[in-house]
Amino acid sequence: MKRAIITIIFTLFAIASYAQAKQSVNGFVYNGDGIPIAGAIIKAVGDSAVAKSAQDGSFEMQAAQHCNFVEASCEGYISARVELTGTIVLFRLKVNKKYA
């Protein structure tokens, strides 16, 4: 019985530490011509992490370790989703034709 309780407690601690694990997500948001987009909203898919791109298009946020994708959106552009495969994420948003 003691062994089962100890196992459950260690399992709960492992789950809690996994849920708190964060990864740093950095990147840039550009338009189709390579011009930085300021004010774009970047969201981690499956997490509550959100960032806003700076004047130079850069952003930084801390997302849950289990997040595999981030999305960028900005008024006048088509939203894009990118898989987290490296240390830097680059978005190149295309103009939404209905705003052009």
Side-chain angles (χ1 to χ4, degrees):
M1 181 67 164
K2 265 187 179 179
R3 182 176 247 176
I5 292 173
I6 291 172
T7 302
I8 291 171
I9 290 172
F10 279 114
T11 302
L12 291 175
F13 280 127
I15 291 170
S17 66
Y18 175 77
Q20 295 174 359
K22 298 286 185 177
Q23 62 180 319
S24 182
V25 179
N26 302 293
F28 296 88
V29 183
Y30 299 106
N31 69 12
D33 296 324
I35 298 171
I37 299 175
I41 303 299
I42 300 88
K43 296 180 183 179
V45 177
D47 189 30
S48 60
V50 177
K52 190 174 186 179
S53 62
Q55 203 65 26
D56 65 352
S58 66
F59 68 90
E60 182 178 336
M61 67 179 167
Q62 296 295 314
Q65 192 69 37
H66 67 272
C67 287
N68 295 319
F69 294 91
V70 287
E71 292 180 336
S73 61
C74 188
E75 189 172 342
Y77 294 90
I78 298 170
S79 298
R81 180 182 280 201
V82 174
E83 185 173 9
L84 294 173
T85 58
T87 56
I88 297 179
V89 177
L90 298 176
F91 287 100
R92 193 168 289 258
L93 301 183
K94 296 179 182 179
V95 173
N96 189 332
K97 299 230 187 263
K98 77 177 190 180
Y99 291 97

